[in-house]
Amino acid sequence: DEIVFCQAIPRGVCLKLKNDQMNVSYLTVRQLMEKLPKERFLQCHRMFVVNKEYVEYYDLVNQVIKMQGYPDMIDIGVTYKPEVRRQIHG
């Protein structure tokens, strides 16, 4: 419930929480996705995983996702765009 999104960093991942952030060393995005519930989390880029409950909106034209409480946009990777579209419309 606390994780808003996750970002790959050198030698690990950074978990962006509601009020904090936490770096986890030596964990890949793929390993993280195996631990997270698939119905709530979506990998939208090789560097990013988002919690669908915190998504403000998806912009498939500009290939970005806006998250609640975060000013920065999260990119949607070309490889992940069909899966993001399926999740939205599925």
Side-chain angles (χ1 to χ4, degrees):
D1 285 339
E2 285 289 309
I3 300 173
V4 178
F5 69 93
C6 310
Q7 179 178 6
I9 56 173
R11 291 190 273 318
V13 291
C14 177
L15 306 178
K16 302 285 187 176
L17 309 176
K18 277 192 234 175
N19 303 315
D20 199 11
Q21 73 178 34
M22 186 170 85
N23 291 343
V24 182
S25 298
Y26 304 107
L27 182 69
T28 65
V29 170
R30 181 176 284 148
Q31 290 168 329
L32 180 67
M33 283 302 289
E34 289 171 7
K35 294 175 176 15
L36 294 171
K38 296 212 181 325
E39 63 278 356
R40 290 179 61 189
F41 289 88
L42 170 64
Q43 184 170 0
C44 60
H45 188 279
R46 66 185 182 85
M47 305 282 283
F48 291 103
V49 175
V50 297
N51 184 338
K52 292 189 265 187
E53 294 177 17
Y54 291 100
V55 171
E56 243 174 66
Y57 62 83
Y58 298 92
D59 181 346
L60 291 175
V61 175
N62 297 313
Q63 293 185 224
V64 292
I65 296 174
K66 173 75 173 102
M67 302 300 290
Q68 294 173 13
Y70 282 90
D72 299 334
M73 297 292 207
I74 293 178
D75 293 327
I76 299 172
V78 175
T79 315
Y80 300 94
K81 190 175 178 181
E83 176 62 20
V84 171
R85 180 179 281 125
R86 194 182 66 75
Q87 291 278 337
I88 299 169
H89 301 299

Coordinates of all heavy atoms in Angstrom, one line a residue:
D1 N 0.8 -1.2 0.0 CA 0.0 0.0 0.0 C 0.9 1.3 0.0 O 0.4 2.3 -0.5 CB -0.9 0.0 1.2 CG -2.1 -0.9 1.1 OD1 -2.4 -1.3 -0.1 OD2 -2.7 -1.3 2.1
E2 N 2.0 1.2 0.6 CA 2.9 2.3 0.7 C 3.7 2.7 -0.6 O 4.0 3.8 -0.9 CB 3.9 2.1 1.8 CG 3.4 2.3 3.2 CD 3.0 3.7 3.5 OE1 3.9 4.6 3.4 OE2 1.9 3.9 4.0
I3 N 3.9 1.7 -1.4 CA 4.7 1.9 -2.6 C 3.9 2.6 -3.7 O 2.9 2.1 -4.1 CB 5.3 0.5 -3.2 CG1 6.2 -0.2 -2.1 CG2 6.1 0.8 -4.5 CD1 6.6 -1.6 -2.5
V4 N 4.4 3.7 -4.2 CA 3.7 4.5 -5.3 C 4.3 4.0 -6.6 O 3.6 3.7 -7.5 CB 3.9 6.0 -5.1 CG1 3.3 6.8 -6.2 CG2 3.3 6.5 -3.8
F5 N 5.7 4.0 -6.7 CA 6.3 3.4 -7.9 C 7.7 3.1 -7.5 O 8.3 3.4 -6.5 CB 6.3 4.4 -9.1 CG 7.1 5.6 -9.0 CD1 8.4 5.7 -9.5 CD2 6.5 6.8 -8.4 CE1 9.1 6.9 -9.4 CE2 7.3 8.0 -8.3 CZ 8.6 8.0 -8.8
C6 N 8.4 2.3 -8.4 CA 9.7 1.8 -8.2 C 10.6 2.2 -9.4 O 10.1 2.2 -10.5 CB 9.8 0.3 -8.1 SG 8.6 -0.3 -6.9
Q7 N 11.8 2.6 -9.2 CA 12.7 3.0 -10.2 C 14.0 2.3 -10.1 O 14.6 2.2 -9.0 CB 12.9 4.5 -10.1 CG 13.8 5.1 -11.2 CD 14.0 6.6 -11.1 OE1 13.5 7.2 -10.2 NE2 14.7 7.2 -12.0
A8 N 14.5 1.8 -11.2 CA 15.8 1.1 -11.2 C 16.9 2.2 -11.0 O 16.8 3.3 -11.6 CB 16.0 0.4 -12.6
I9 N 17.8 1.9 -10.2 CA 19.0 2.7 -10.0 C 20.2 1.8 -10.1 O 20.1 0.6 -10.2 CB 19.0 3.4 -8.6 CG1 18.9 2.3 -7.5 CG2 17.8 4.4 -8.4 CD1 19.0 2.8 -6.1
P10 N 21.4 2.4 -10.3 CA 22.6 1.6 -10.4 C 22.7 0.6 -9.2 O 22.6 1.0 -8.0 CB 23.8 2.6 -10.4 CG 23.2 3.9 -10.9 CD 21.7 3.9 -10.3
R11 N 22.9 -0.7 -9.5 CA 23.0 -1.7 -8.5 C 21.8 -1.8 -7.6 O 22.0 -2.1 -6.4 CB 24.3 -1.6 -7.7 CG 25.5 -1.9 -8.6 CD 26.8 -2.0 -7.8 NE 27.6 -0.9 -7.5 CZ 27.9 0.2 -8.3 NH1 27.4 0.2 -9.5 NH2 28.6 1.1 -7.9
G12 N 20.6 -1.7 -8.0 CA 19.4 -1.8 -7.2 C 18.2 -1.1 -7.7 O 18.1 -0.8 -8.9
V13 N 17.2 -1.0 -6.8 CA 16.0 -0.3 -7.1 C 15.7 0.7 -6.0 O 16.0 0.5 -4.9 CB 14.7 -1.2 -7.3 CG1 14.9 -2.1 -8.6 CG2 14.5 -2.1 -6.1
C14 N 15.0 1.8 -6.4 CA 14.5 2.8 -5.4 C 13.0 2.7 -5.3 O 12.3 2.8 -6.4 CB 14.9 4.2 -5.9 SG 14.4 5.5 -4.8
L15 N 12.5 2.4 -4.1 CA 11.1 2.4 -3.9 C 10.6 3.7 -3.5 O 11.0 4.2 -2.4 CB 10.7 1.3 -2.8 CG 11.3 -0.1 -3.0 CD1 10.9 -1.0 -1.9 CD2 10.8 -0.7 -4.3
K16 N 9.7 4.4 -4.3 CA 9.2 5.7 -3.9 C 7.9 5.4 -3.1 O 6.9 4.9 -3.7 CB 8.8 6.5 -5.2 CG 10.0 6.7 -6.1 CD 10.9 7.8 -5.5 CE 12.0 8.1 -6.5 NZ 12.9 9.2 -6.1
L17 N 7.9 5.7 -1.8 CA 6.8 5.5 -1.0 C 6.0 6.7 -0.9 O 6.4 7.8 -1.3 CB 7.3 5.0 0.4 CG 8.3 3.9 0.4 CD1 8.8 3.6 1.8 CD2 7.7 2.6 -0.2
K18 N 4.8 6.7 -0.2 CA 3.9 7.8 -0.1 C 4.7 9.0 0.5 O 4.6 10.1 0.0 CB 2.7 7.5 0.8 CG 1.6 6.8 0.1 CD 0.4 6.8 0.9 CE -0.1 5.3 1.0 NZ -1.2 5.2 1.9
N19 N 5.4 8.8 1.6 CA 6.1 9.9 2.3 C 7.6 9.7 2.4 O 8.2 10.5 3.2 CB 5.5 10.0 3.7 CG 4.0 10.2 3.7 OD1 3.5 11.0 3.0 ND2 3.3 9.4 4.6
D20 N 8.1 8.8 1.7 CA 9.6 8.5 1.9 C 10.1 7.8 0.6 O 9.3 7.6 -0.3 CB 9.8 7.6 3.1 CG 11.2 7.6 3.6 OD1 12.0 8.5 3.2 OD2 11.5 6.8 4.5
Q21 N 11.3 7.4 0.6 CA 11.9 6.6 -0.4 C 12.9 5.6 0.2 O 13.5 5.9 1.2 CB 12.4 7.4 -1.6 CG 13.8 8.0 -1.3 CD 14.2 8.7 -2.6 OE1 13.5 9.3 -3.4 NE2 15.5 8.8 -2.8
M22 N 13.0 4.5 -0.4 CA 13.9 3.5 0.1 C 14.7 2.8 -1.0 O 14.1 2.4 -2.0 CB 13.0 2.4 0.8 CG 13.8 1.4 1.6 SD 12.6 0.4 2.6 CE 12.1 -0.8 1.4
N23 N 16.0 2.8 -0.9 CA 16.8 2.1 -1.9 C 17.1 0.7 -1.4 O 17.4 0.4 -0.3 CB 18.2 2.8 -2.0 CG 18.0 4.2 -2.7 OD1 17.0 4.5 -3.3 ND2 19.0 5.0 -2.6
V24 N 16.9 -0.3 -2.4 CA 17.2 -1.7 -2.1 C 18.3 -2.1 -3.0 O 18.1 -2.1 -4.2 CB 15.9 -2.5 -2.4 CG1 16.2 -4.0 -2.0 CG2 14.7 -2.0 -1.6
S25 N 19.4 -2.4 -2.4 CA 20.6 -2.8 -3.2 C 20.5 -4.2 -3.8 O 19.9 -5.1 -3.2 CB 21.9 -2.7 -2.3 OG 22.0 -1.4 -1.9
Y26 N 21.1 -4.4 -4.9 CA 21.2 -5.7 -5.6 C 19.9 -6.4 -5.8 O 19.8 -7.6 -5.6 CB 22.2 -6.6 -4.8 CG 23.5 -5.9 -4.6 CD1 23.9 -5.4 -3.4 CD2 24.4 -5.8 -5.7 CE1 25.1 -4.7 -3.3 CE2 25.6 -5.1 -5.6 CZ 26.0 -4.6 -4.4 OH 27.2 -4.0 -4.3
L27 N 18.9 -5.6 -6.2 CA 17.6 -6.2 -6.6 C 17.3 -5.6 -7.9 O 17.4 -4.4 -8.2 CB 16.5 -5.8 -5.5 CG 15.1 -6.3 -5.8 CD1 15.1 -7.8 -5.5 CD2 14.1 -5.6 -4.9
T28 N 16.9 -6.5 -8.9 CA 16.6 -6.0 -10.2 C 15.1 -5.8 -10.3 O 14.3 -6.2 -9.4 CB 16.9 -7.1 -11.3 OG1 16.1 -8.3 -11.1 CG2 18.4 -7.5 -11.2
V29 N 14.7 -5.1 -11.3 CA 13.2 -4.8 -11.5 C 12.5 -6.1 -11.7 O 11.4 -6.3 -11.2 CB 13.0 -3.8 -12.7 CG1 11.6 -3.7 -13.1 CG2 13.6 -2.5 -12.4
R30 N 13.1 -7.0 -12.5 CA 12.5 -8.3 -12.7 C 12.3 -9.1 -11.4 O 11.2 -9.7 -11.2 CB 13.3 -9.2 -13.6 CG 12.7 -10.5 -13.9 CD 13.5 -11.3 -14.9 NE 13.3 -10.8 -16.3 CZ 14.1 -10.7 -17.3 NH1 15.4 -11.2 -17.1 NH2 13.8 -10.2 -18.4
Q31 N 13.3 -9.1 -10.5 CA 13.1 -9.8 -9.2 C 12.1 -9.1 -8.4 O 11.3 -9.8 -7.7 CB 14.5 -9.7 -8.5 CG 15.5 -10.6 -9.1 CD 16.9 -10.3 -8.5 OE1 17.2 -9.2 -8.1 NE2 17.7 -11.4 -8.4
L32 N 12.0 -7.8 -8.5 CA 11.0 -7.0 -7.7 C 9.6 -7.4 -8.2 O 8.7 -7.6 -7.4 CB 11.2 -5.5 -7.9 CG 10.3 -4.6 -7.2 CD1 10.4 -4.7 -5.6 CD2 10.5 -3.2 -7.6
M33 N 9.4 -7.5 -9.5 CA 8.1 -7.8 -10.1 C 7.6 -9.2 -9.6 O 6.4 -9.4 -9.5 CB 8.1 -7.7 -11.6 CG 8.1 -6.3 -12.2 SD 6.7 -5.4 -11.7 CE 5.4 -6.2 -12.6
E34 N 8.5 -10.1 -9.4 CA 8.2 -11.4 -8.9 C 7.6 -11.4 -7.5 O 6.8 -12.2 -7.1 CB 9.4 -12.4 -9.0 CG 9.8 -12.7 -10.4 CD 11.1 -13.5 -10.5 OE1 11.7 -13.8 -9.4 OE2 11.6 -13.7 -11.6
K35 N 8.0 -10.4 -6.7 CA 7.6 -10.3 -5.3 C 6.3 -9.5 -5.2 O 5.6 -9.6 -4.2 CB 8.7 -9.6 -4.5 CG 10.0 -10.5 -4.4 CD 11.0 -9.7 -3.6 CE 12.3 -10.4 -3.4 NZ 12.6 -11.6 -4.0
L36 N 6.0 -8.6 -6.1 CA 4.9 -7.7 -6.0 C 3.6 -8.3 -6.6 O 3.7 -9.1 -7.5 CB 5.1 -6.4 -6.8 CG 6.3 -5.5 -6.2 CD1 6.5 -4.3 -7.2 CD2 5.9 -4.9 -4.9
P37 N 2.4 -8.0 -6.0 CA 1.2 -8.5 -6.6 C 0.9 -8.0 -8.0 O 0.9 -6.8 -8.2 CB 0.1 -8.1 -5.6 CG 0.7 -7.0 -4.8 CD 2.2 -7.1 -4.9
K38 N 0.8 -8.9 -8.9 CA 0.7 -8.5 -10.4 C -0.6 -7.7 -10.7 O -0.6 -6.9 -11.6 CB 0.6 -9.8 -11.2 CG 2.0 -10.5 -11.1 CD 2.3 -11.2 -12.4 CE 3.6 -12.0 -12.4 NZ 4.6 -11.5 -11.6
E39 N -1.6 -7.9 -9.9 CA -2.9 -7.2 -10.2 C -2.8 -5.7 -9.8 O -3.6 -4.9 -10.2 CB -4.1 -7.8 -9.5 CG -4.1 -7.9 -8.0 CD -3.2 -9.0 -7.4 OE1 -2.7 -9.9 -8.1 OE2 -3.1 -9.1 -6.1
R40 N -1.8 -5.3 -9.0 CA -1.7 -3.9 -8.5 C -0.5 -3.2 -9.1 O -0.5 -2.0 -9.2 CB -1.5 -3.9 -7.0 CG -2.8 -4.3 -6.3 CD -2.7 -4.3 -4.8 NE -2.4 -3.0 -4.3 CZ -2.1 -2.8 -3.0 NH1 -2.0 -3.8 -2.2 NH2 -1.8 -1.6 -2.6
F41 N 0.5 -3.9 -9.6 CA 1.7 -3.3 -10.1 C 1.9 -3.6 -11.6 O 1.6 -4.7 -12.1 CB 2.9 -3.7 -9.3 CG 3.0 -3.1 -8.0 CD1 2.4 -3.8 -6.9 CD2 3.6 -1.9 -7.7 CE1 2.3 -3.3 -5.6 CE2 3.6 -1.4 -6.4 CZ 3.0 -2.0 -5.4
L42 N 2.4 -2.6 -12.3 CA 2.6 -2.7 -13.8 C 3.9 -2.1 -14.1 O 4.3 -1.0 -13.8 CB 1.5 -1.8 -14.4 CG 1.6 -1.6 -15.9 CD1 1.4 -2.9 -16.7 CD2 0.5 -0.6 -16.4
Q43 N 4.7 -3.0 -14.9 CA 6.0 -2.5 -15.4 C 5.7 -1.8 -16.7 O 5.1 -2.3 -17.6 CB 7.0 -3.6 -15.6 CG 8.3 -3.1 -16.0 CD 9.4 -4.2 -16.0 OE1 9.2 -5.3 -15.7 NE2 10.6 -3.8 -16.4
C44 N 6.1 -0.5 -16.7 CA 5.8 0.4 -17.9 C 7.0 0.8 -18.7 O 6.9 1.4 -19.7 CB 5.0 1.6 -17.5 SG 5.9 2.6 -16.3
H45 N 8.2 0.4 -18.1 CA 9.4 0.8 -18.7 C 10.5 -0.1 -18.1 O 10.3 -0.7 -17.0 CB 9.7 2.3 -18.3 CG 10.9 2.9 -19.0 ND1 12.2 2.7 -18.6 CD2 11.0 3.7 -20.1 CE1 13.0 3.4 -19.4 NE2 12.3 4.0 -20.3
R46 N 11.6 -0.3 -18.8 CA 12.6 -1.2 -18.2 C 13.1 -0.6 -16.8 O 13.7 -1.4 -16.0 CB 13.8 -1.4 -19.1 CG 14.6 -0.2 -19.5 CD 15.7 -0.6 -20.5 NE 16.5 0.6 -20.8 CZ 17.6 1.0 -20.1 NH1 18.0 0.2 -19.1 NH2 18.2 2.0 -20.3
M47 N 12.9 0.7 -16.6 CA 13.4 1.3 -15.4 C 12.3 1.5 -14.3 O 12.6 1.9 -13.2 CB 14.0 2.7 -15.7 CG 15.1 2.6 -16.7 SD 16.7 2.1 -16.0 CE 17.2 3.5 -15.1
F48 N 11.0 1.4 -14.7 CA 9.9 1.8 -13.8 C 8.8 0.7 -13.7 O 8.5 0.1 -14.6 CB 9.2 3.1 -14.4 CG 10.1 4.3 -14.3 CD1 10.7 4.8 -15.4 CD2 10.3 5.0 -13.1 CE1 11.5 5.9 -15.4 CE2 11.1 6.1 -13.0 CZ 11.7 6.6 -14.2
V49 N 8.3 0.7 -12.4 CA 7.2 -0.1 -12.1 C 6.2 0.8 -11.3 O 6.7 1.5 -10.4 CB 7.5 -1.4 -11.2 CG1 6.3 -2.1 -10.8 CG2 8.5 -2.3 -11.9
V50 N 5.0 0.8 -11.7 CA 4.0 1.7 -11.0 C 2.9 0.9 -10.3 O 2.6 -0.2 -10.7 CB 3.3 2.7 -12.0 CG1 4.4 3.6 -12.7 CG2 2.5 2.0 -13.1
N51 N 2.5 1.5 -9.2 CA 1.3 1.0 -8.5 C 0.1 1.6 -9.2 O -0.1 2.8 -9.2 CB 1.4 1.4 -7.0 CG 0.3 0.8 -6.2 OD1 -0.8 0.4 -6.7 ND2 0.5 0.8 -4.9
K52 N -0.8 0.8 -9.7 CA -1.9 1.2 -10.5 C -2.9 2.1 -9.7 O -3.6 2.9 -10.2 CB -2.7 0.1 -11.2 CG -1.8 -0.6 -12.2 CD -2.6 -1.6 -13.0 CE -2.4 -3.0 -12.4 NZ -3.1 -4.0 -13.2
E53 N -2.9 1.9 -8.4 CA -3.8 2.7 -7.5 C -3.4 4.1 -7.4 O -4.2 5.0 -7.0 CB -3.8 2.0 -6.1 CG -4.5 0.6 -6.1 CD -4.5 0.0 -4.8 OE1 -4.3 0.7 -3.8 OE2 -4.6 -1.3 -4.7
Y54 N -2.1 4.4 -7.7 CA -1.7 5.8 -7.6 C -1.5 6.5 -8.9 O -1.0 7.7 -9.0 CB -0.3 5.9 -6.9 CG -0.4 5.5 -5.4 CD1 -0.1 4.2 -4.9 CD2 -0.9 6.4 -4.5 CE1 -0.2 3.9 -3.6 CE2 -1.0 6.1 -3.1 CZ -0.7 4.8 -2.7 OH -0.8 4.5 -1.4
V55 N -2.0 5.9 -10.0 CA -1.9 6.5 -11.3 C -3.0 7.6 -11.4 O -4.1 7.3 -11.2 CB -2.0 5.5 -12.4 CG1 -2.1 6.1 -13.8 CG2 -0.8 4.5 -12.4
E56 N -2.5 8.8 -11.8 CA -3.5 9.9 -12.0 C -4.1 9.7 -13.4 O -5.3 9.7 -13.6 CB -2.9 11.2 -11.9 CG -3.5 12.1 -10.8 CD -2.7 13.4 -10.6 OE1 -2.7 14.2 -11.4 OE2 -2.1 13.5 -9.5
Y57 N -3.2 9.6 -14.4 CA -3.6 9.3 -15.8 C -2.5 8.7 -16.6 O -1.3 8.9 -16.3 CB -4.2 10.5 -16.5 CG -3.2 11.7 -16.6 CD1 -2.4 11.7 -17.7 CD2 -3.2 12.7 -15.7 CE1 -1.5 12.8 -17.9 CE2 -2.3 13.8 -15.9 CZ -1.5 13.8 -17.0 OH -0.6 14.8 -17.1
Y58 N -2.9 8.0 -17.7 CA -2.0 7.4 -18.7 C -2.1 8.3 -19.9 O -3.2 8.6 -20.3 CB -2.5 6.0 -19.0 CG -2.4 5.0 -17.9 CD1 -3.6 4.8 -17.2 CD2 -1.3 4.3 -17.6 CE1 -3.6 3.8 -16.1 CE2 -1.3 3.3 -16.6 CZ -2.4 3.1 -15.9 OH -2.4 2.2 -14.9
D59 N -1.0 8.6 -20.5 CA -1.0 9.4 -21.8 C -0.2 8.5 -22.8 O 1.0 8.6 -22.8 CB -0.3 10.7 -21.5 CG -0.3 11.6 -22.8 OD1 -0.6 11.1 -23.9 OD2 0.0 12.8 -22.7
L60 N -1.0 7.7 -23.5 CA -0.3 6.8 -24.5 C 0.2 7.5 -25.7 O 1.1 7.0 -26.4 CB -1.3 5.7 -24.9 CG -1.7 4.7 -23.8 CD1 -2.8 3.8 -24.3 CD2 -0.5 4.0 -23.3
V61 N -0.3 8.7 -26.0 CA 0.2 9.5 -27.2 C 1.6 10.0 -26.9 O 2.5 9.8 -27.7 CB -0.7 10.7 -27.5 CG1 -0.2 11.5 -28.6 CG2 -2.1 10.2 -27.9
N62 N 1.8 10.6 -25.7 CA 3.1 11.1 -25.3 C 3.9 10.1 -24.6 O 5.1 10.3 -24.2 CB 3.0 12.4 -24.5 CG 2.3 13.5 -25.3 OD1 2.7 13.7 -26.4 ND2 1.3 14.1 -24.7
Q63 N 3.4 8.9 -24.3 CA 4.0 7.8 -23.7 C 4.5 8.1 -22.3 O 5.7 7.8 -22.0 CB 5.1 7.2 -24.6 CG 4.5 6.5 -25.8 CD 5.6 5.8 -26.6 OE1 5.6 6.0 -27.8 NE2 6.5 5.1 -26.0
V64 N 3.6 8.7 -21.4 CA 4.0 9.0 -20.1 C 2.8 8.6 -19.1 O 1.7 8.5 -19.6 CB 4.3 10.5 -19.9 CG1 5.6 10.8 -20.6 CG2 3.2 11.4 -20.3
I65 N 3.2 8.4 -17.9 CA 2.2 8.2 -16.8 C 2.4 9.3 -15.7 O 3.5 9.5 -15.3 CB 2.4 6.8 -16.2 CG1 2.1 5.7 -17.2 CG2 1.5 6.6 -15.0 CD1 2.4 4.3 -16.7
K66 N 1.3 9.9 -15.3 CA 1.3 10.8 -14.2 C 0.9 10.2 -12.9 O -0.2 9.5 -12.9 CB 0.4 12.0 -14.6 CG 0.2 13.0 -13.4 CD 1.4 13.9 -13.3 CE 1.2 15.0 -12.3 NZ 1.8 14.8 -11.0
M67 N 1.7 10.3 -11.9 CA 1.5 9.6 -10.6 C 0.9 10.7 -9.6 O 1.4 11.8 -9.6 CB 2.7 9.0 -10.0 CG 3.3 7.9 -11.0 SD 2.3 6.5 -11.3 CE 2.2 5.7 -9.7
Q68 N 0.1 10.3 -8.7 CA -0.4 11.2 -7.7 C 0.7 11.6 -6.8 O 1.5 10.8 -6.3 CB -1.5 10.4 -6.8 CG -2.8 10.1 -7.5 CD -3.7 9.2 -6.7 OE1 -3.5 9.1 -5.5 NE2 -4.7 8.6 -7.3
G69 N 0.8 12.9 -6.5 CA 1.7 13.4 -5.6 C 3.2 13.5 -6.1 O 4.1 13.9 -5.3
Y70 N 3.4 13.3 -7.4 CA 4.7 13.4 -7.9 C 4.7 14.3 -9.2 O 3.9 14.1 -10.0 CB 5.3 12.0 -8.3 CG 5.8 11.2 -7.1 CD1 5.0 10.4 -6.4 CD2 7.1 11.4 -6.7 CE1 5.4 9.7 -5.3 CE2 7.6 10.7 -5.5 CZ 6.7 9.9 -4.9 OH 7.1 9.2 -3.7
P71 N 5.6 15.3 -9.2 CA 5.5 16.2 -10.3 C 6.1 15.6 -11.6 O 5.7 16.0 -12.7 CB 6.4 17.4 -9.8 CG 7.4 16.8 -8.9 CD 6.6 15.6 -8.2
D72 N 7.0 14.7 -11.5 CA 7.6 14.1 -12.7 C 6.7 13.1 -13.4 O 6.0 12.4 -12.7 CB 9.0 13.4 -12.3 CG 9.9 14.4 -11.7 OD1 9.8 15.6 -12.0 OD2 10.8 14.0 -10.9
M73 N 6.9 13.0 -14.7 CA 6.1 12.0 -15.5 C 7.0 10.8 -15.6 O 8.3 10.9 -15.5 CB 5.9 12.5 -16.9 CG 5.0 13.7 -17.0 SD 3.3 13.3 -16.5 CE 2.4 14.5 -17.4
I74 N 6.4 9.6 -15.6 CA 7.1 8.4 -15.8 C 6.9 7.9 -17.2 O 5.8 7.9 -17.7 CB 6.6 7.3 -14.8 CG1 6.9 7.8 -13.4 CG2 7.1 5.9 -15.1 CD1 6.4 6.9 -12.3
D75 N 8.0 7.6 -17.9 CA 8.0 7.2 -19.3 C 7.4 5.8 -19.4 O 7.5 4.9 -18.6 CB 9.4 7.1 -19.9 CG 10.0 8.5 -20.0 OD1 9.2 9.5 -20.2 OD2 11.2 8.6 -19.8
I76 N 6.7 5.6 -20.6 CA 6.2 4.3 -21.0 C 7.1 3.8 -22.1 O 7.3 4.5 -23.1 CB 4.8 4.3 -21.5 CG1 3.8 4.8 -20.4 CG2 4.3 3.0 -22.0 CD1 2.4 5.1 -20.9
G77 N 7.8 2.7 -21.9 CA 8.8 2.2 -22.9 C 8.0 1.6 -24.1 O 6.9 1.1 -23.9
V78 N 8.6 1.7 -25.2 CA 8.0 1.2 -26.4 C 7.7 -0.3 -26.3 O 6.6 -0.7 -26.7 CB 9.0 1.4 -27.6 CG1 8.5 0.7 -28.9 CG2 9.3 2.8 -27.9
T79 N 8.6 -1.0 -25.7 CA 8.3 -2.5 -25.4 C 7.1 -2.7 -24.6 O 6.4 -3.7 -24.7 CB 9.6 -3.1 -24.8 OG1 10.7 -2.6 -25.4 CG2 9.5 -4.6 -24.8
Y80 N 6.9 -1.8 -23.6 CA 5.8 -2.1 -22.6 C 4.5 -1.4 -23.0 O 3.5 -1.6 -22.3 CB 6.3 -1.5 -21.2 CG 7.5 -2.3 -20.8 CD1 8.8 -1.7 -21.0 CD2 7.4 -3.5 -20.1 CE1 9.9 -2.4 -20.6 CE2 8.6 -4.2 -19.7 CZ 9.8 -3.6 -20.0 OH 11.0 -4.3 -19.6
K81 N 4.5 -0.6 -24.0 CA 3.3 0.2 -24.4 C 2.1 -0.8 -24.7 O 1.0 -0.5 -24.2 CB 3.6 1.1 -25.6 CG 2.4 2.0 -25.9 CD 2.8 3.0 -27.0 CE 1.7 3.9 -27.4 NZ 2.0 4.8 -28.4
P82 N 2.2 -1.9 -25.4 CA 1.0 -2.7 -25.7 C 0.5 -3.3 -24.4 O -0.8 -3.4 -24.2 CB 1.6 -3.9 -26.5 CG 2.8 -3.3 -27.2 CD 3.4 -2.3 -26.2
E83 N 1.3 -3.7 -23.4 CA 0.9 -4.2 -22.1 C 0.2 -3.1 -21.3 O -0.9 -3.4 -20.7 CB 2.0 -4.8 -21.3 CG 1.7 -5.3 -20.0 CD 0.7 -6.4 -19.9 OE1 0.5 -7.1 -21.0 OE2 0.1 -6.7 -18.9
V84 N 0.7 -1.9 -21.3 CA 0.1 -0.8 -20.6 C -1.3 -0.6 -21.2 O -2.3 -0.4 -20.5 CB 0.9 0.5 -20.7 CG1 0.2 1.7 -20.1 CG2 2.2 0.3 -19.9
R85 N -1.4 -0.5 -22.5 CA -2.7 -0.3 -23.2 C -3.7 -1.4 -22.8 O -4.9 -1.2 -22.6 CB -2.5 -0.3 -24.7 CG -3.8 -0.1 -25.5 CD -3.6 0.0 -27.0 NE -3.1 1.3 -27.3 CZ -2.0 1.5 -28.0 NH1 -1.3 0.5 -28.4 NH2 -1.7 2.7 -28.3
R86 N -3.2 -2.7 -22.8 CA -4.1 -3.8 -22.4 C -4.6 -3.7 -21.0 O -5.7 -4.0 -20.7 CB -3.3 -5.1 -22.6 CG -4.2 -6.4 -22.6 CD -3.3 -7.6 -22.7 NE -2.5 -7.9 -21.6 CZ -2.9 -8.3 -20.4 NH1 -4.2 -8.5 -20.1 NH2 -2.0 -8.5 -19.4
Q87 N -3.7 -3.2 -20.1 CA -4.1 -3.1 -18.7 C -5.2 -2.0 -18.5 O -6.1 -2.1 -17.7 CB -2.9 -2.7 -17.8 CG -1.9 -3.8 -17.7 CD -2.2 -4.8 -16.6 OE1 -3.0 -4.5 -15.7 NE2 -1.7 -6.0 -16.7
I88 N -5.0 -0.9 -19.3 CA -6.0 0.2 -19.2 C -7.3 -0.2 -19.7 O -8.3 0.0 -19.1 CB -5.5 1.4 -20.0 CG1 -4.1 1.9 -19.4 CG2 -6.5 2.6 -19.9 CD1 -3.5 3.0 -20.3
H89 N -7.3 -0.8 -20.9 CA -8.6 -1.1 -21.6 C -9.1 -2.5 -21.3 O -10.2 -2.8 -21.7 CB -8.4 -0.9 -23.1 CG -8.0 0.5 -23.4 ND1 -8.8 1.6 -23.1 CD2 -6.9 1.0 -24.0 CE1 -8.1 2.7 -23.6 NE2 -7.0 2.3 -24.1
G90 N -8.3 -3.3 -20.6 CA -8.7 -4.7 -20.3 C -9.6 -4.8 -19.2 O -10.3 -5.6 -19.0

